[in-house]
Coordinates of all heavy atoms in Angstrom, one line a residue:
M1 N 220.7 76.2 -13.7 CA 219.3 75.9 -13.9 C 218.9 74.8 -13.0 O 219.6 73.8 -12.7 CB 219.2 75.4 -15.4 CG 217.7 75.4 -15.8 SD 217.6 75.0 -17.6 CE 217.2 73.2 -17.4
A2 N 217.7 74.9 -12.5 CA 217.1 73.9 -11.5 C 217.1 72.5 -12.2 O 216.7 72.4 -13.3 CB 215.8 74.3 -11.0
E3 N 217.4 71.5 -11.4 CA 217.4 70.2 -11.9 C 216.8 69.2 -10.9 O 217.0 69.4 -9.7 CB 218.9 69.8 -12.1 CG 219.2 68.4 -12.5 CD 220.7 68.1 -12.5 OE1 221.5 68.9 -12.0 OE2 221.0 67.0 -12.9
W4 N 215.9 68.3 -11.3 CA 215.4 67.3 -10.4 C 216.3 66.1 -10.4 O 216.6 65.5 -11.5 CB 214.0 66.9 -10.9 CG 212.9 68.0 -10.7 CD1 212.5 68.8 -11.6 CD2 212.3 68.2 -9.4 NE1 211.5 69.7 -11.0 CE2 211.4 69.3 -9.7 CE3 212.3 67.7 -8.2 CZ2 210.6 69.9 -8.7 CZ3 211.5 68.2 -7.2 CH2 210.6 69.3 -7.4
V5 N 216.7 65.7 -9.2 CA 217.6 64.6 -9.1 C 216.9 63.4 -8.3 O 216.5 63.6 -7.2 CB 218.9 65.0 -8.3 CG1 219.9 63.9 -8.1 CG2 219.5 66.2 -9.0
P6 N 216.9 62.2 -8.9 CA 216.3 61.1 -8.2 C 217.3 60.7 -7.0 O 218.5 60.6 -7.3 CB 216.2 60.0 -9.2 CG 217.2 60.4 -10.3 CD 217.4 61.8 -10.2
V7 N 216.7 60.5 -5.8 CA 217.7 60.2 -4.7 C 217.5 58.8 -4.1 O 218.4 58.1 -3.7 CB 217.6 61.3 -3.6 CG1 218.3 62.5 -4.1 CG2 216.2 61.6 -3.2
F8 N 216.2 58.3 -4.0 CA 216.0 56.9 -3.5 C 214.5 56.6 -3.6 O 213.7 57.5 -4.0 CB 216.4 56.8 -2.0 CG 215.9 57.8 -1.1 CD1 214.6 57.7 -0.6 CD2 216.6 58.9 -0.6 CE1 214.0 58.6 0.3 CE2 216.1 59.8 0.2 CZ 214.8 59.7 0.7
R9 N 214.2 55.3 -3.4 CA 212.8 54.9 -3.5 C 212.1 55.4 -2.2 O 212.6 55.2 -1.1 CB 212.7 53.4 -3.6 CG 213.2 52.9 -4.9 CD 212.8 51.4 -5.2 NE 211.3 51.4 -5.3 CZ 210.6 51.7 -6.4 NH1 211.3 52.1 -7.5 NH2 209.3 51.6 -6.4
G10 N 210.9 55.9 -2.3 CA 210.2 56.4 -1.2 C 210.0 55.4 -0.1 O 210.1 55.7 1.1
E11 N 209.8 54.2 -0.5 CA 209.5 53.1 0.5 C 210.8 52.8 1.4 O 210.7 52.2 2.4 CB 209.1 51.8 -0.2 CG 210.2 51.2 -1.1 CD 209.6 50.2 -2.0 OE1 208.4 50.2 -2.3 OE2 210.4 49.4 -2.5
E12 N 211.9 53.3 1.0 CA 213.1 53.1 1.8 C 213.2 54.0 3.0 O 214.1 53.8 3.9 CB 214.4 53.3 0.9 CG 214.5 52.4 -0.3 CD 215.7 52.8 -1.2 OE1 216.6 53.6 -0.7 OE2 215.6 52.4 -2.4
L13 N 212.4 55.0 3.1 CA 212.4 56.0 4.2 C 211.0 56.1 4.8 O 210.3 57.0 4.4 CB 213.0 57.3 3.7 CG 213.4 58.3 4.8 CD1 214.6 57.8 5.5 CD2 213.6 59.7 4.2
P14 N 210.8 55.3 5.8 CA 209.4 55.4 6.4 C 209.2 56.7 7.2 O 210.2 57.4 7.5 CB 209.5 54.2 7.4 CG 210.6 53.3 7.0 CD 211.6 54.2 6.3
P15 N 208.0 57.0 7.5 CA 207.7 58.2 8.3 C 208.5 58.2 9.6 O 208.7 57.2 10.3 CB 206.2 58.1 8.6 CG 205.7 57.3 7.5 CD 206.8 56.3 7.2
G16 N 209.0 59.4 10.0 CA 209.8 59.6 11.2 C 211.3 59.4 11.0 O 212.0 59.6 12.0
L17 N 211.7 59.1 9.8 CA 213.1 58.9 9.6 C 213.7 59.9 8.6 O 212.9 60.6 7.9 CB 213.4 57.5 9.0 CG 213.0 56.3 9.9 CD1 213.4 55.0 9.3 CD2 213.6 56.5 11.3
M18 N 215.0 60.0 8.6 CA 215.7 61.0 7.7 C 216.9 60.3 7.2 O 217.4 59.4 7.8 CB 216.0 62.3 8.4 CG 217.0 62.1 9.6 SD 217.3 63.6 10.5 CE 218.3 63.0 11.9
R19 N 217.4 60.9 6.1 CA 218.7 60.4 5.6 C 219.4 61.6 4.8 O 218.7 62.5 4.3 CB 218.6 59.2 4.7 CG 218.0 59.4 3.4 CD 218.4 58.3 2.4 NE 218.0 57.0 2.9 CZ 218.0 55.9 2.1 NH1 218.3 56.1 0.8 NH2 217.6 54.8 2.5
V20 N 220.7 61.5 4.7 CA 221.4 62.5 4.0 C 221.6 62.0 2.5 O 221.8 60.8 2.3 CB 222.8 62.8 4.6 CG1 223.7 61.7 4.6 CG2 223.4 64.1 4.0
V21 N 221.5 62.9 1.6 CA 221.9 62.6 0.2 C 222.9 63.7 -0.2 O 222.9 64.8 0.3 CB 220.7 62.6 -0.7 CG1 219.7 61.5 -0.3 CG2 220.0 63.9 -0.8
T22 N 223.8 63.3 -1.1 CA 224.8 64.2 -1.6 C 224.5 64.5 -3.0 O 224.4 63.5 -3.8 CB 226.2 63.7 -1.4 OG1 226.4 63.4 0.0 CG2 227.2 64.7 -1.8
I23 N 224.3 65.7 -3.4 CA 224.0 66.1 -4.8 C 225.1 67.1 -5.1 O 225.2 68.2 -4.5 CB 222.6 66.7 -5.0 CG1 221.6 65.7 -4.5 CG2 222.4 67.1 -6.4 CD1 220.1 66.2 -4.6
G24 N 226.0 66.8 -6.0 CA 227.2 67.6 -6.3 C 227.9 67.7 -5.0 O 228.3 66.7 -4.4
D25 N 228.2 69.0 -4.5 CA 228.9 69.1 -3.3 C 228.0 69.5 -2.1 O 228.5 70.0 -1.1 CB 230.1 70.2 -3.5 CG 229.5 71.5 -3.9 OD1 228.3 71.6 -4.1 OD2 230.3 72.4 -4.0
Q26 N 226.7 69.3 -2.3 CA 225.7 69.7 -1.3 C 225.3 68.5 -0.5 O 224.9 67.5 -1.1 CB 224.5 70.4 -1.9 CG 224.8 71.7 -2.6 CD 223.6 72.1 -3.4 OE1 223.2 71.6 -4.4 NE2 222.9 73.2 -2.9
R27 N 225.3 68.6 0.8 CA 224.7 67.6 1.7 C 223.3 68.1 2.0 O 223.1 69.2 2.5 CB 225.5 67.5 3.0 CG 226.8 66.8 2.9 CD 227.6 66.9 4.2 NE 226.9 66.3 5.3 CZ 226.9 65.0 5.6 NH1 227.7 64.2 4.9 NH2 226.3 64.5 6.7
I28 N 222.3 67.2 1.6 CA 220.9 67.6 1.8 C 220.3 66.5 2.7 O 220.5 65.3 2.5 CB 220.3 67.7 0.4 CG1 220.9 68.8 -0.4 CG2 218.7 67.9 0.5 CD1 220.4 68.9 -1.8
L29 N 219.5 67.0 3.6 CA 218.8 66.1 4.5 C 217.3 65.9 4.0 O 216.6 66.9 3.8 CB 218.7 66.8 5.9 CG 218.2 65.9 7.0 CD1 219.2 64.8 7.4 CD2 217.9 66.8 8.3
V30 N 217.0 64.7 3.7 CA 215.6 64.3 3.3 C 214.9 63.6 4.4 O 215.5 62.7 5.0 CB 215.6 63.5 2.0 CG1 214.2 63.2 1.5 CG2 216.4 64.2 0.9
A31 N 213.8 64.1 4.8 CA 213.0 63.5 5.9 C 211.6 63.2 5.5 O 211.0 63.8 4.6 CB 213.0 64.5 7.1
N32 N 211.1 62.1 6.0 CA 209.7 61.7 5.9 C 208.9 62.2 7.1 O 209.1 61.6 8.2 CB 209.6 60.2 5.6 CG 208.2 59.7 5.4 OD1 207.2 60.4 5.8 ND2 208.0 58.6 4.8
V33 N 208.2 63.2 6.9 CA 207.4 63.8 8.1 C 205.9 63.4 7.8 O 205.3 64.0 7.0 CB 207.6 65.3 8.1 CG1 206.8 65.9 9.3 CG2 209.0 65.7 8.3
E34 N 205.5 62.4 8.6 CA 204.1 62.0 8.5 C 203.7 61.6 7.1 O 202.5 62.0 6.7 CB 203.2 63.0 9.2 CG 203.6 63.3 10.6 CD 203.0 64.6 11.2 OE1 202.2 65.2 10.5 OE2 203.5 65.0 12.3
G35 N 204.6 61.0 6.3 CA 204.2 60.6 5.0 C 204.5 61.5 3.9 O 204.4 61.2 2.7
T36 N 205.0 62.7 4.2 CA 205.4 63.7 3.2 C 206.9 63.9 3.3 O 207.4 64.1 4.4 CB 204.7 65.0 3.4 OG1 203.3 64.8 3.4 CG2 205.0 66.0 2.3
F37 N 207.6 64.0 2.1 CA 209.0 64.1 2.1 C 209.4 65.6 2.0 O 208.8 66.4 1.3 CB 209.6 63.4 0.9 CG 209.5 61.9 1.0 CD1 208.5 61.2 0.4 CD2 210.4 61.2 1.8 CE1 208.4 59.9 0.6 CE2 210.3 59.8 1.9 CZ 209.3 59.2 1.3
Y38 N 210.4 66.0 2.8 CA 210.9 67.4 2.8 C 212.4 67.3 2.7 O 213.0 66.3 3.2 CB 210.5 68.1 4.1 CG 209.0 68.3 4.3 CD1 208.3 67.4 5.0 CD2 208.4 69.4 3.7 CE1 206.9 67.5 5.1 CE2 207.0 69.6 3.9 CZ 206.3 68.6 4.6 OH 204.9 68.8 4.7
A39 N 213.0 68.4 2.2 CA 214.5 68.4 2.1 C 215.0 69.8 2.6 O 214.5 70.8 2.1 CB 215.0 68.2 0.7
I40 N 216.0 69.8 3.5 CA 216.6 71.0 4.0 C 218.1 70.7 3.9 O 218.6 69.6 3.8 CB 216.2 71.4 5.4 CG1 216.6 70.4 6.4 CG2 214.6 71.5 5.4 CD1 216.4 70.9 7.9
G41 N 218.9 71.8 4.2 CA 220.4 71.6 4.3 C 220.7 70.6 5.4 O 220.0 70.6 6.4
A42 N 221.8 69.9 5.2 CA 222.1 68.9 6.2 C 223.3 69.3 7.1 O 223.7 68.6 7.9 CB 222.5 67.5 5.5
V43 N 223.8 70.5 6.8 CA 224.9 71.0 7.6 C 224.4 72.2 8.4 O 223.9 73.2 7.9 CB 226.1 71.5 6.6 CG1 227.3 72.0 7.5 CG2 226.6 70.3 5.8
C44 N 224.6 72.1 9.7 CA 224.1 73.1 10.6 C 224.6 74.5 10.3 O 225.8 74.6 10.1 CB 224.4 72.7 12.1 SG 223.7 73.8 13.3
T45 N 223.8 75.5 10.4 CA 224.2 76.8 10.1 C 224.9 77.5 11.2 O 225.5 78.6 11.1 CB 223.0 77.7 9.7 OG1 222.1 77.7 10.8 CG2 222.3 77.2 8.5
H46 N 225.0 76.8 12.4 CA 225.8 77.3 13.5 C 227.2 77.1 13.3 O 228.0 78.0 12.9 CB 225.2 76.6 14.8 CG 225.9 77.1 16.0 ND1 226.4 76.3 17.0 CD2 226.1 78.4 16.5 CE1 227.0 77.1 18.0 NE2 226.8 78.3 17.6
T47 N 227.7 75.9 13.6 CA 229.2 75.6 13.3 C 229.3 74.3 12.6 O 230.3 73.5 12.8 CB 230.0 75.7 14.5 OG1 229.5 74.7 15.5 CG2 230.1 77.0 15.2
E48 N 228.4 74.0 11.6 CA 228.6 73.0 10.6 C 228.5 71.5 11.2 O 229.1 70.6 10.6 CB 229.8 73.2 9.8 CG 229.9 74.5 9.1 CD 231.0 74.7 8.2 OE1 231.9 73.8 8.1 OE2 231.0 75.7 7.4
G49 N 227.7 71.3 12.2 CA 227.4 70.0 12.6 C 226.6 69.3 11.5 O 225.9 69.9 10.8
Y50 N 226.7 67.9 11.5 CA 225.9 67.2 10.5 C 224.6 66.8 11.1 O 224.5 66.0 12.0 CB 226.7 65.9 10.0 CG 227.8 66.2 9.1 CD1 228.7 65.1 8.7 CD2 228.1 67.4 8.6 CE1 229.7 65.4 7.9 CE2 229.1 67.7 7.7 CZ 230.0 66.6 7.4 OH 231.0 66.9 6.5
L51 N 223.5 67.5 10.5 CA 222.2 67.2 11.1 C 221.7 65.8 10.9 O 220.9 65.3 11.7 CB 221.2 68.2 10.4 CG 221.5 69.7 10.7 CD1 220.4 70.5 10.0 CD2 221.5 70.0 12.1
D52 N 222.2 65.1 9.9 CA 221.8 63.7 9.8 C 222.4 62.8 10.9 O 222.0 61.7 11.0 CB 222.3 63.2 8.4 CG 223.8 63.5 8.1 OD1 224.1 64.7 7.9 OD2 224.6 62.6 8.1
E53 N 223.3 63.4 11.7 CA 223.8 62.6 12.8 C 223.1 63.0 14.1 O 223.4 62.5 15.2 CB 225.3 62.8 13.0 CG 226.1 62.3 11.8 CD 227.6 62.5 11.8 OE1 228.1 63.2 12.8 OE2 228.3 62.1 10.9
G54 N 222.1 63.9 13.9 CA 221.3 64.3 15.1 C 220.0 63.4 15.1 O 220.1 62.2 14.7
Y55 N 218.9 64.0 15.6 CA 217.7 63.1 15.7 C 216.5 64.0 15.4 O 216.5 65.3 15.5 CB 217.6 62.5 17.0 CG 217.7 63.4 18.2 CD1 216.5 63.9 18.8 CD2 218.9 63.8 18.8 CE1 216.6 64.8 19.9 CE2 219.0 64.7 19.8 CZ 217.8 65.2 20.4 OH 217.9 66.0 21.4
I56 N 215.4 63.3 15.1 CA 214.1 64.0 14.8 C 213.3 64.1 16.1 O 213.3 63.2 16.8 CB 213.3 63.2 13.7 CG1 214.0 63.4 12.3 CG2 211.9 63.7 13.6 CD1 213.3 62.6 11.2
E57 N 212.7 65.3 16.2 CA 211.8 65.5 17.4 C 210.7 66.4 16.9 O 210.9 67.5 16.5 CB 212.6 66.2 18.5 CG 211.9 66.2 19.8 CD 212.8 66.9 20.9 OE1 213.6 66.1 21.5 OE2 212.7 68.1 21.1
D58 N 209.5 65.9 17.0 CA 208.3 66.6 16.5 C 208.5 67.1 15.0 O 209.2 67.4 14.8 CB 207.9 67.7 17.3 CG 207.5 67.3 18.7 OD1 207.0 66.2 18.9 OD2 207.8 68.0 19.7
R59 N 208.6 67.2 14.1 CA 208.8 67.8 12.8 C 210.0 68.7 12.8 O 210.1 69.6 12.0 CB 207.6 68.7 12.5 CG 206.3 67.9 12.4 CD 205.2 68.8 12.0 NE 203.9 68.0 11.9 CZ 202.8 68.5 11.5 NH1 202.8 69.8 11.1 NH2 201.8 67.8 11.4
T60 N 211.0 68.5 13.7 CA 212.2 69.2 13.7 C 213.4 68.2 13.7 O 213.2 67.1 14.1 CB 212.4 70.2 14.9 OG1 212.5 69.4 16.1 CG2 211.2 71.1 15.0
V61 N 214.6 68.7 13.3 CA 215.8 67.9 13.5 C 216.7 68.7 14.5 O 216.8 69.9 14.5 CB 216.5 67.7 12.1 CG1 216.9 69.0 11.5 CG2 217.8 66.9 12.3
V62 N 217.3 67.9 15.4 CA 218.1 68.5 16.4 C 219.6 68.2 16.1 O 220.0 67.1 15.8 CB 217.8 67.8 17.8 CG1 218.6 68.4 18.9 CG2 216.3 68.0 18.1
C63 N 220.4 69.3 16.1 CA 221.8 69.2 15.7 C 222.5 68.4 16.9 O 222.2 68.7 18.0 CB 222.4 70.5 15.6 SG 224.2 70.5 15.2
P64 N 223.4 67.5 16.5 CA 224.1 66.7 17.6 C 225.2 67.5 18.3 O 225.6 67.0 19.3 CB 224.7 65.5 16.8 CG 225.0 66.1 15.4 CD 223.8 67.1 15.2
I65 N 225.5 68.7 17.8 CA 226.7 69.4 18.4 C 226.2 70.3 19.6 O 226.6 70.1 20.7 CB 227.4 70.2 17.4 CG1 227.8 69.3 16.1 CG2 228.7 70.8 18.0 CD1 228.7 68.2 16.4
H66 N 225.4 71.3 19.3 CA 224.9 72.2 20.3 C 223.4 72.2 20.4 O 222.8 73.1 21.0 CB 225.5 73.6 20.1 CG 226.9 73.7 19.8 ND1 227.4 73.9 18.6 CD2 228.0 73.5 20.7 CE1 228.8 73.9 18.7 NE2 229.1 73.7 19.9
F67 N 222.8 71.3 19.8 CA 221.3 71.0 19.9 C 220.4 72.1 19.4 O 219.3 72.3 19.9 CB 221.0 70.7 21.4 CG 221.9 69.6 22.0 CD1 222.8 69.9 22.9 CD2 221.8 68.3 21.5 CE1 223.7 68.9 23.4 CE2 222.7 67.3 22.0 CZ 223.6 67.7 22.9
S68 N 220.8 72.9 18.4 CA 219.9 73.7 17.7 C 218.8 72.8 17.1 O 219.1 71.7 16.7 CB 220.6 74.5 16.6 OG 221.4 75.5 17.1
R69 N 217.6 73.4 16.9 CA 216.5 72.7 16.3 C 216.1 73.4 15.1 O 215.8 74.6 15.1 CB 215.4 72.5 17.2 CG 215.6 71.4 18.3 CD 214.3 70.8 18.9 NE 213.5 71.8 19.5 CZ 212.2 71.8 19.5 NH1 211.6 70.8 18.8 NH2 211.5 72.7 20.1
F70 N 215.9 72.7 14.0 CA 215.4 73.3 12.7 C 214.1 72.6 12.3 O 214.0 71.4 12.4 CB 216.4 73.1 11.6 CG 217.8 73.8 11.8 CD1 218.8 73.1 12.5 CD2 218.0 75.1 11.4 CE1 220.0 73.7 12.8 CE2 219.2 75.7 11.7 CZ 220.2 75.0 12.3
S71 N 213.2 73.4 11.8 CA 212.0 72.8 11.2 C 212.4 72.0 9.9 O 213.1 72.5 9.0 CB 211.0 73.9 10.8 OG 210.0 73.3 9.9
L72 N 211.9 70.7 9.9 CA 212.2 69.9 8.7 C 211.3 70.4 7.5 O 211.6 70.0 6.4 CB 211.8 68.4 9.0 CG 212.9 67.7 9.9 CD1 212.3 66.4 10.4 CD2 214.2 67.5 9.2
I73 N 210.3 71.2 7.8 CA 209.4 71.6 6.8 C 209.8 72.9 6.2 O 209.8 73.1 5.0 CB 208.0 71.7 7.4 CG1 207.5 70.2 7.8 CG2 207.0 72.3 6.4 CD1 206.3 70.2 8.6
S74 N 210.2 73.9 7.0 CA 210.5 75.2 6.5 C 212.0 75.6 6.6 O 212.4 76.6 6.1 CB 209.7 76.3 7.3 OG 210.2 76.3 8.7
G75 N 212.8 74.8 7.3 CA 214.2 75.1 7.6 C 214.4 76.1 8.6 O 215.6 76.4 9.0
E76 N 213.4 76.7 9.2 CA 213.5 77.8 10.2 C 214.2 77.2 11.5 O 214.0 76.1 11.8 CB 212.1 78.3 10.6 CG 211.4 79.0 9.4 CD 211.9 80.3 9.0 OE1 212.4 81.0 9.9 OE2 211.9 80.6 7.8
V77 N 214.9 78.1 12.1 CA 215.4 77.8 13.4 C 214.3 77.8 14.5 O 213.6 78.8 14.6 CB 216.5 78.8 13.9 CG1 217.0 78.5 15.3 CG2 217.6 78.9 12.9
V78 N 214.1 76.7 15.1 CA 213.1 76.6 16.2 C 213.7 76.9 17.5 O 213.0 77.4 18.4 CB 212.4 75.2 16.1 CG1 211.4 75.0 17.3 CG2 211.7 75.0 14.8
E79 N 215.0 76.5 17.7 CA 215.7 76.7 18.9 C 217.1 76.9 18.6 O 217.7 76.1 17.8 CB 215.4 75.5 19.8 CG 215.8 75.8 21.3 CD 215.4 74.6 22.2 OE1 214.3 74.1 22.0 OE2 216.2 74.2 23.0
G80 N 217.8 77.9 19.2 CA 219.2 78.2 18.9 C 220.1 77.2 19.6 O 219.6 76.2 20.2
P81 N 221.4 77.5 19.6 CA 222.1 78.7 19.2 C 222.1 79.1 17.8 O 222.5 80.3 17.5 CB 223.5 78.5 19.8 CG 223.7 77.0 19.7 CD 222.4 76.4 20.0
A82 N 221.8 78.3 16.8 CA 221.9 78.7 15.4 C 220.9 79.9 15.2 O 219.9 79.9 15.9 CB 221.5 77.5 14.5
E83 N 221.2 80.8 14.3 CA 220.4 81.9 14.0 C 219.9 81.9 12.6 O 218.8 82.4 12.3 CB 221.1 83.2 14.3 CG 221.5 83.4 15.8 CD 222.2 84.7 16.1 OE1 222.6 85.4 15.1 OE2 222.4 85.0 17.3
E84 N 220.7 81.3 11.7 CA 220.3 81.3 10.3 C 219.5 80.0 9.9 O 219.9 78.9 10.4 CB 221.6 81.3 9.4 CG 222.4 82.6 9.5 CD 221.6 83.8 9.0 OE1 220.9 83.7 8.0 OE2 221.6 84.8 9.7
P85 N 218.5 80.2 9.2 CA 217.7 79.0 8.8 C 218.5 78.1 7.8 O 219.5 78.5 7.2 CB 216.5 79.5 8.1 CG 216.9 80.9 7.6 CD 217.9 81.4 8.6
E86 N 218.1 76.9 7.7 CA 218.6 76.0 6.6 C 217.9 76.3 5.3 O 216.7 76.6 5.3 CB 218.3 74.5 7.0 CG 219.1 74.0 8.2 CD 220.6 73.9 7.9 OE1 221.0 73.8 6.7 OE2 221.4 73.9 8.8
P87 N 218.6 76.1 4.2 CA 218.0 76.2 2.9 C 217.0 75.1 2.7 O 217.1 74.0 3.4 CB 219.1 76.1 1.9 CG 220.2 75.3 2.6 CD 220.0 75.7 4.1
T88 N 216.0 75.3 1.9 CA 215.0 74.2 1.7 C 215.1 73.8 0.2 O 215.5 74.7 -0.6 CB 213.6 74.6 2.0 OG1 213.2 75.8 1.3 CG2 213.4 74.9 3.5
Y89 N 214.7 72.6 -0.1 CA 214.7 72.2 -1.5 C 213.4 71.5 -1.9 O 212.9 70.7 -1.0 CB 215.8 71.1 -1.7 CG 217.2 71.7 -1.3 CD1 217.6 71.5 0.0 CD2 218.0 72.3 -2.2 CE1 218.9 72.0 0.4 CE2 219.3 72.8 -1.8 CZ 219.7 72.7 -0.5 OH 220.9 73.2 -0.1
P90 N 212.8 71.8 -3.0 CA 211.6 71.2 -3.4 C 211.8 69.6 -3.6 O 212.8 69.2 -4.0 CB 211.3 71.8 -4.8 CG 212.0 73.1 -4.8 CD 213.3 72.8 -4.0
V91 N 210.7 68.9 -3.2 CA 210.8 67.4 -3.3 C 209.5 67.0 -4.0 O 208.4 67.5 -3.8 CB 210.8 66.8 -1.9 CG1 210.8 65.3 -2.0 CG2 212.0 67.3 -1.1
E92 N 209.7 66.0 -4.8 CA 208.5 65.3 -5.5 C 208.7 63.8 -5.5 O 209.8 63.4 -5.4 CB 208.4 65.8 -6.9 CG 207.7 67.1 -7.1 CD 207.5 67.4 -8.6 OE1 207.6 66.5 -9.5 OE2 207.1 68.5 -8.9
V93 N 207.6 63.1 -5.5 CA 207.7 61.7 -5.6 C 207.0 61.3 -6.9 O 205.8 61.7 -7.2 CB 207.0 60.9 -4.4 CG1 207.1 59.4 -4.6 CG2 207.6 61.4 -3.1
R94 N 207.7 60.6 -7.8 CA 207.2 60.2 -9.1 C 207.4 58.7 -9.2 O 208.6 58.3 -9.1 CB 207.9 60.9 -10.2 CG 207.7 62.4 -10.2 CD 208.4 63.1 -11.4 NE 209.0 64.3 -11.1 CZ 210.1 64.8 -11.6 NH1 210.7 64.1 -12.5 NH2 210.5 66.0 -11.3
N95 N 206.3 58.0 -9.5 CA 206.5 56.5 -9.6 C 207.2 55.9 -8.5 O 208.1 55.0 -8.7 CB 207.1 56.2 -11.0 CG 206.2 56.7 -12.1 OD1 205.0 56.6 -12.0 ND2 206.9 57.1 -13.2
G96 N 207.0 56.4 -7.3 CA 207.7 55.8 -6.1 C 209.1 56.3 -5.9 O 209.7 55.9 -4.9
I97 N 209.6 57.1 -6.7 CA 211.0 57.6 -6.6 C 211.0 59.0 -6.1 O 210.2 59.9 -6.5 CB 211.8 57.6 -7.9 CG1 211.7 56.2 -8.6 CG2 213.2 58.1 -7.7 CD1 212.5 55.2 -8.0
V98 N 211.8 59.3 -5.0 CA 211.9 60.6 -4.5 C 212.9 61.5 -5.3 O 214.0 61.0 -5.5 CB 212.3 60.6 -3.0 CG1 212.4 62.0 -2.4 CG2 211.3 59.7 -2.2
Y99 N 212.5 62.6 -5.7 CA 213.3 63.6 -6.5 C 213.5 64.8 -5.6 O 212.6 65.3 -5.0 CB 212.7 64.0 -7.8 CG 212.6 62.9 -8.8 CD1 211.7 61.9 -8.8 CD2 213.5 62.9 -9.9 CE1 211.7 60.9 -9.7 CE2 213.5 62.0 -10.9 CZ 212.6 60.9 -10.8 OH 212.5 60.0 -11.8
V100 N 214.7 65.3 -5.6 CA 215.0 66.6 -5.0 C 215.5 67.6 -6.1 O 216.3 67.2 -6.9 CB 216.1 66.4 -3.9 CG1 216.5 67.8 -3.3 CG2 215.7 65.5 -2.8
Q101 N 215.0 68.8 -6.0 CA 215.4 69.8 -6.9 C 216.5 70.6 -6.3 O 216.4 71.1 -5.2 CB 214.2 70.7 -7.3 CG 214.5 71.7 -8.5 CD 213.4 72.6 -8.7 OE1 212.9 73.3 -7.9 NE2 212.9 72.6 -10.0
R102 N 217.6 70.8 -7.1 CA 218.7 71.7 -6.6 C 218.9 72.8 -7.5 O 218.4 72.8 -8.7 CB 219.9 70.9 -6.4 CG 220.4 70.3 -7.8 CD 221.9 70.0 -7.7 NE 222.4 69.5 -8.9 CZ 223.7 69.3 -9.2 NH1 224.5 69.5 -8.2 NH2 224.1 68.8 -10.3
Ligands
FES201 S1 226.8 73.1 15.1 FE1 224.7 72.8 15.2 S2 224.1 73.8 17.0 FE2 226.2 74.2 16.9

């Protein structure tokens, strides 16, 4: 069953930054894109690079291993070599706390 998990205070992650959170055995990348929080898988669908060790470029995250780019908003592949999109997770902010649904 879907569950909302509090992950951190919204003020801890200013616009343009991202961080990884671990929920159960899932690594999830939470990013602040122009003031709105989004969550996608944090493990590259190519050969499992950690996207949180990459960098943000325009509303995308660039994998540090072979430089695939994924949309932080939709999880879609913007540039390969990856072919599979990242999963996305709903995000809400309640009373200043960021929640991710898994
Ligand atoms: S592991 Fe991410 S692009 Fe290859």
Side-chain angles (χ1 to χ4, degrees):
M1 195 176 97
E3 175 191 4
W4 288 98
V5 179
V7 288
F8 52 79
R9 296 194 62 79
E11 64 195 21
E12 295 172 22
L13 191 68
L17 298 184
M18 62 182 174
R19 71 157 61 164
V20 68
V21 299
T22 303
I23 300 178
D25 60 357
Q26 292 169 293
R27 287 173 61 85
I28 297 174
L29 189 72
V30 181
N32 182 336
V33 181
E34 299 162 12
T36 302
F37 293 95
Y38 296 92
I40 67 172
V43 179
C44 183
T45 59
H46 182 230
T47 55
E48 303 189 351
Y50 285 174
L51 298 180
D52 48 292
E53 294 176 1
Y55 57 93
I56 289 180
E57 191 176 272
D58 296 328
R59 301 184 179 185
T60 67
V61 58
V62 181
C63 178
I65 309 297
H66 310 104
F67 309 110
S68 287
R69 286 203 298 146
F70 298 88
S71 167
L72 287 166
I73 295 170
S74 68
E76 297 289 325
V77 176
V78 174
E79 194 173 317
E83 295 181 351
E84 294 297 317
E86 290 292 338
T88 59
Y89 304 88
V91 180
E92 276 188 11
V93 182
R94 299 182 214 148
N95 297 324
I97 307 291
V98 179
Y99 288 77
V100 174
Q101 190 182 52
R102 63 156 178 172

